[in-house]
Amino acid sequence: MIFEHDFAGGLIRATCSDGIGMIAISNPDRKNAVTAAMWRAIPQAARILTDEAHAHVIVLRGTGVDFSAGADISEFDSVRKNSETAVAYEALNSRAFEAIRHCRVPTIAAIRGICYGGGFGLAAACDLRIAEKGARFSVPAARLGIAYPADAVQDIVNALGQQMAKVALFTGASMSSEKMAAVGFLLEEVEASVFDGEVSALTHAIAANAPIALHASKLAIRAVIEQDGDLLREAEVIGAETFDSADYAEGRAAFAERRKPHFTGK
C-alpha cells in the first residue's frame, strides 16, 4: 500500500511504500526554492511519515533536475525585511532542519543539480548524502549580506569538517560533487545512469532492518556527535529494550531458518 500526502499546496510531497518514505521538494519551476509555507511543511511531512506511514527510512530529494536552490529569495522583502521578521522566518528554517536532524529514522539526501543555501542545510541535516556527478553545492549567505542560522551551521560543520565549513561559509563559492565526496560530505557521487538505483539499494538495505534497532543506533550516534549524556542514556535504554522486542525474536528465528526477517517495529 502506498501512502501519499501533500503539503503547502503540493510543493512538499510525502510518500511511503514498503517502509521507504520520501519527502519531495516539488517547486521545479523555481529550482525547488523553498517558500515559508514549504519550510513550515517539512516537519509535518517528516512526522506523518514516521508516525502514520511507519517509514523505516526517509529520502529527501528534489523534483526534476535540482535538489534545491535554497530559500525562495522572492519572499525576502516580506519574510526577511528586518531583524524581527527574519527571526520568525529563521525559526521556520530551524524547525525544518531539526525535524530532519532529529527524525527517529535514518534520513538520506538524494542530490541532483544544485544544492544551495537552505537546500544545503537540509542535506547537511540528513544522516547520509548521495549525489549525482555534476551536482553543485554552495552556502551563499554571506554574499547576500546575511548570517546562516547557527543551528544549521552545526550541521554543516559536522558534515563538512571545520575547515571546509569555514571555506563554504566564508566564500559562498560553488563546490563540485567531486570535492564534496573527497571531504566526506557525500557518501558517494555516482553517474546519472545509476543514481536512482544506488539510492534505492541503500534505502532498501536500511528499510530491511529492525526499526527499533535503527532508532537506538541513531540516538547513540547523535549522543556521540553532540556529546549529550542524557541522549546517550536514552539510547542505552532503547538499546536494552531491543532484547525484549518481537523484532529481536524474529531476527533470531530468521537467522536460524536462513530466511529474510520480517520486522514490524514491535
Side-chain angles (χ1 to χ4, degrees):
M1 182 176 178
I2 298 176
F3 175 92
E4 297 180 336
H5 197 100
D6 286 350
F7 300 87
L11 297 177
I12 296 292
R13 302 197 69 236
T15 61
C16 187
S17 178
D18 297 325
I20 297 173
M22 184 178 299
I23 297 175
I25 305 168
S26 191
N27 191 13
D29 290 343
R30 296 191 57 78
K31 296 186 178 297
N32 292 324
V34 185
T35 65
M38 294 165 71
W39 286 117
R40 192 175 293 110
I42 288 170
Q44 298 171 339
R47 185 167 53 252
I48 201 169
L49 285 175
T50 55
D51 294 354
E52 296 187 25
H54 306 297
H56 295 187
V57 60
I58 294 175
V59 179
L60 180 64
R61 68 190 312 160
T63 298
V65 298
D66 293 305
F67 183 74
S68 174
D72 189 341
I73 295 177
S74 70
E75 292 187 323
F76 280 15
D77 284 348
S78 57
V79 300
R80 273 179 166 167
K81 65 183 179 181
N82 53 36
S83 61
E84 182 180 355
T85 57
V87 166
Y89 179 80
E90 292 205 350
L92 292 178
N93 295 178
S94 293
R95 284 193 288 272
F97 297 139
E98 182 181 23
I100 300 300
R101 182 190 315 121
H102 293 175
C103 185
R104 63 178 288 113
V105 305
T107 52
I108 302 168
I111 303 164
R112 280 191 168 108
I114 60 173
C115 179
Y116 287 179
F120 190 104
L122 288 169
C126 287
D127 296 306
L128 302 169
R129 292 163 289 276
I130 297 178
E132 188 178 282
K133 284 189 176 180
R136 304 295 301 182
F137 301 81
S138 176
V139 188
R143 286 167 32 197
L144 294 172
I146 57 176
Y148 207 67
D151 55 341
V153 170
Q154 174 181 292
D155 292 327
I156 292 172
V157 173
N158 287 335
L160 273 179
Q162 291 186 28
Q163 183 158 264
M164 279 306 301
K166 291 173 183 178
V167 170
L169 289 162
F170 293 170
T171 69
S174 177
M175 297 170 285
S176 67
S177 57
E178 181 180 17
K179 180 70 170 180
M180 292 292 97
V183 300
F185 181 78
L186 298 176
L187 174 63
E188 58 182 331
E189 56 158 355
V190 298
E191 298 288 350
S193 59
V194 298
F195 177 73
D196 287 333
E198 290 293 319
V199 173
S200 179
L202 179 60
T203 54
H204 278 84
I206 293 172
N209 293 322
I212 190 171
L214 294 174
H215 182 42
S217 294
K218 179 162 180 175
L219 278 180
I221 292 168
R222 273 187 53 210
V224 171
I225 291 171
E226 299 174 16
Q227 293 293 290
D228 188 323
D230 290 339
L231 197 59
L232 183 60
R233 284 184 284 276
E234 183 182 352
E236 289 171 346
V237 169
I238 294 175
E241 290 174 352
T242 64
F243 293 102
D244 293 323
S245 68
D247 279 350
Y248 177 47
E250 167 63 7
R252 297 198 318 275
F255 182 82
E257 298 164 11
R258 297 183 180 181
R259 60 174 174 80
K260 291 183 178 180
H262 176 68
F263 295 121
T264 62
K266 299 178 180 178

